[in-house]
Structures are given as structure tokens and as C-alpha cells.
Amino acid sequence: MYPAPFRYFRPGSLDQALTLLSELGESSRPLAGGQTLIPILKLRMDEPTDLVDIGRLPGLGSINIEDGIIHIGSLATHARIGRHAVAGMIPVLADCANGIADAQVRNRGTIGGSVSTADPSCDWPTLLHTLDADIVCQNAHGSRSVPIREFIADAYTTALGNAELVTGIRFKCPPENSGGSYIGFKKAAPAYPAAAAGIQITLAEGDVCSDVRLVLGAAGPRPVICGEAESILRGNTITRANLEKAAEAIIAESDPPSDIRGSSGFKRTMLHSLFMQAADIAINRARGNRVQGVHEYV
Amino acid sequence: MNMSESTQLVPITVSVNGKTCQRQVEPRLLLVEFIRETLGLTGTHIGCDTSFCGACTVIVDGDAVKSCTMLAVQADGSEILTVEGLERDGVLHPLQQAFSSNHGLQCGYCTPGMLMSSLALLADNPNPTRKDIRKQLAGNICRCTGYQNIIKSIEAAASAMQED
């Protein structure tokens, strides 16, 4: 057995789980799908004294839309999100969910786990920045909603307090004249992406970009919001020249680290291509065309 | 390590290949170790042990999962299907037969995972395209075959299962 010994608890309700985590203190960890935590335990990179299994808590896996707000429960698995009707309405959700790791991992891994881990290469945090999502967090005393750009504070660091759990993700359903795309480049399916680009773009009359959000993944300690590139597109007509200008700005704004997944220069080149490909898909979707998305760069 | 003197044992009940099994397990026991060492079902293989290769793939409540990245305690109350559950009364499952007939394996180490992963695919999608098969097997690594005959085997199994 590779993990160090720990005590195991499986509370029956969210309230019990929150109380338990608070009582057990800082050396306890919540366990949901385990697709990040279990490999960490096996490598003994973390040796918690107690695991609180929240994986089957009732109600936390629901996905719904109410008054134009999408709510995804934190225990919703990538596989479940990818198959859900909401992902049919907002195809970028399907692109992202169905491209994470492989089928087996998607069956166990949860969106709540992905945002709580805040790995700089994780897919959901980057995509959720393009949707300006809020992360719903709860502890034994109550719940609060934190914008994702405040929630992800640094690499592997979130705004979650002790004994506080992510219970859901919320964001406004993008309008009909808005389209999204998210593409990551991975060396193999089960690997994290070496680079990723996400875009959500809204087009007004005459192909004028009325709003846009451009976010890069695996390009820094946290998702990189490309404000300069956004301002090049916002308020202007979509043209090839403007997109190229925005792509150049993205390269200037990103500072991807050289690591086992590639050199910084290689990743910048990838980010340029990923952005151009993602922008093409998102613009087509914003124009009302049904476009097959790809999570993986081809 | 702030552990109590005695190791905690957690009672779990699972159905494995249709047979109910009750055991007391240490919480840190991985599902693959439970299957192989506690139950003695060694058809499920440990390959990379890092959630990459898929040799340990089993079906838990209808979903293909990597049993090296799941704790046995997380499977409590679940129905598990391993490669040993495919054969019925001495007759190979159509997938096993197709892998055999189409040379879908060489050393055979990845094969149990390949079989369980493709079983999950065919349950959802009885008539998959080559692209669907490749996508499903993205989490299963084979170092011998070059995959071509594995894909051929799954196509053959899909046709055979539709004829039944």
C-alpha cells in the first residue's frame, strides 16, 4: 500500500462533512473523485491524518439552469458534464469536459476537485475564467460566492479557508450571439496540457466584437487573462488582421515556464496557434453556426 | 504521524462479477490491490500505477475506472466487473473472442484493461466509429501491437454483438 495510513470518514450529509472537517482540522482532507488526491497520496507528497469522503454526498452533483444562470454542482464528474443537456446548449462545456484526461478519469474526476486543486494546467479553471464564473464555497457557518479570478490565488492556492468546500460553480448563460472555445495541447490523453487557450466572444451587428474574454492555461502560475489582446478585439470588427494583432499581444502577455512539457518558446508558439484555432471556432459559434469543437489541438 | 495505535479497518460490501464480497479493509488499500490481493483476482493488472496506462481498468457501477486511482473503501456498495467476469460458462465474451481472432494482443499485459474499456464503450455506443474507439482507448496504453489490431478487434466485436 503506497499511501501513508489515514483515518477514513464517510459522512452522510454536507453539514456533517463540514463539521467533521472543522473538528479534524488542518491535517484532514476532503476526498471526492480522488483523481488528483489519490496520486498525491500514493507519492506521499501529502500525508493527511484523516480523509473525509464527500464523493457521494447527495445533491452536490446536480447541473441545472435557472433564470439564465447555470449551476454545476461540485461533485459533477467531467463525464457527466460532457453528456449533459447544458453542454449541448453551451458547446464549449462539452469541448472542455470531454477532453480532460481519458474516459476513465473523466468518470471519476469532478469539476469541484479541478478548481480546488488549482493546478496551473487544469482545464476547468481556465475555461471558467472565460465565463466569468463564481465559485460557491461553504463551511459550517455558511456559504459565499467568490469570482473565479479571486478564487484562484496562485498555483495550487485558492481562496478556500480551512474546512471550507467548493459546493458549486455558477455563471451566466452566454447570450445567443456569443460563442466559446477552449483548446489545449497535450502530448498524450492522460497528461495535463502543455498550453491551452480559451475564448468567449460576443458579436454585435456587422461582426463587431461587443465583448470578449481571452484566457490562457498552463501559461503561468494561474490562468492568464489577456487584457491587452481583449482590448484589441473589443469594439472592433472581426478581421484576420485584428486577430493576428491579438495573437501577438497574447504572446507578449504570457510567460509560460519551460518545463517537462516544453520550452517557453515552444509554448508561446503553441499559444499563438491555439488562440487562432479557438478564436475561429468561437467566432463561428457566435455567428450562430454549429461548429464541432476540439479540446485537443490538431 | 498522528495515528491511533491500531489500524482502522472499514467494512465494505461489493459485488464482484456478480458475487457479493464482504471484507474489512484498511482505508489506504487501493481498489486494484483489493481486487488482486484480497480477492485473488489477478486478471486486473497494475501497469504504470500512476493513472496513465489503463491496465487496471475495471467497471464500477457501469463506468470504466482506473482501479489504481480509487480506494477500495470508495467502492463500498458498488457493483464491480473485472476481466474474470467476461467469460460465461467457458464461452469467451465476443470482445475476448475478437481480440483472439484479430491478433488484438501480443504480450497481453494491457489486454484486461483494453477489454474493460472497450466493454464500457460498446455498452454506451454499440456501433462506434474508429474515431470513437480511439477516443475511448486514449487512456489505455499498449506497447506491442501499434493499436491497429486492437481497433479491428473492437470493430469485429461490435458487429458480432449486434448480430446476436
Side-chain angles (χ1 to χ4, degrees), chain B residues 85-138:
Chain B
L86 290 180
E87 185 186 305
R88 289 285 156 84
D89 305 321
V91 180
L92 292 180
H93 185 279
L95 268 166
Q96 292 172 306
Q97 188 56 57
F99 269 67
S100 169
S101 310
N102 292 278
H103 205 82
L105 62 143
Q106 287 179 32
C107 86
Y109 201 87
C110 71
T111 312
M114 290 286 175
L115 289 168
M116 301 320 281
S117 204
S118 14
L119 186 74
L121 171 68
L122 296 183
D124 276 352
N125 179 358
N127 192 19
T129 63
R130 293 203 141 202
K131 200 177 162 196
D132 296 336
I133 296 172
R134 286 173 188 278
K135 175 92 178 147
Q136 174 72 14
L137 295 186

Side-chain angles (χ1 to χ4, degrees), chain A residues 66-253:
Chain A
E66 209 179 307
D67 299 329
I69 304 286
I70 312 281
H71 176 90
I72 302 178
S74 55
L75 290 180
T77 60
H78 314 309
R80 196 152 167 275
I81 297 169
R83 282 194 300 262
H84 198 271
V86 161
M89 285 169 50
I90 307 170
V92 71
L93 290 179
D95 296 353
C96 182
N98 295 331
I100 293 171
D102 51 53
Q104 294 95 316
V105 171
R106 290 193 292 272
N107 282 334
R108 297 283 307 157
T110 66
I111 192 169
S114 171
V115 298
S116 304
T117 304
D119 183 299
S121 307
C122 256
D123 296 295
W124 284 121
T126 305
L127 175 72
L128 293 172
H129 273 76
T130 71
L131 295 165
D132 288 324
D134 287 327
I135 309 301
V136 187
C137 312
Q138 194 169 331
N139 66 14
H141 309 291
S143 89
R144 61 179 181 139
S145 191
V146 184
I148 181 114
R149 54 167 78 193
E150 291 167 30
F151 181 83
I152 310 272
D154 203 347
Y156 308 103
T157 309
T158 67
L160 277 177
N162 288 330
E164 188 174 34
L165 290 173
V166 171
T167 56
I169 319 291
R170 280 170 183 279
F171 52 90
K172 272 192 205 136
C173 185
E176 264 183 35
N177 55 337
S178 188
S181 174
Y182 173 85
I183 311 178
F185 173 74
K186 298 192 286 183
K187 287 189 174 172
Y192 281 107
I199 173 169
Q200 184 72 35
I201 191 163
T202 308
L203 297 179
E205 203 65 27
D207 239 13
V208 172
C209 166
S210 57
D211 200 8
V212 65
R213 181 67 72 223
L214 289 177
V215 189
L216 307 177
R222 52 191 301 289
V224 177
I225 300 168
C226 300
E228 181 64 32
E230 288 175 359
S231 66
I232 290 170
L233 297 178
R234 196 177 289 116
N236 291 313
T237 309
I238 296 297
T239 61
R240 180 84 194 171
N242 280 342
L243 289 172
E244 285 288 356
K245 245 191 266 175
E248 291 307 319
I250 277 173
I251 303 304
E253 284 179 272

Side-chain angles (χ1 to χ4, degrees), chain A residues 30-46:
Chain A
L31 169 70
Q35 300 304 286
T36 302
L37 183 57
I38 292 173
I40 287 173
L41 297 178
K42 287 170 72 179
L43 292 167
R44 298 206 181 187
M45 287 163 65
D46 192 13

Side-chain angles (χ1 to χ4, degrees), chain A residues 270-283:
Chain A
M270 287 308 302
L271 287 169
H272 185 283
S273 303
L274 291 165
F275 163 70
M276 292 303 281
Q277 196 177 339
D280 184 52
I281 293 170
I283 289 163

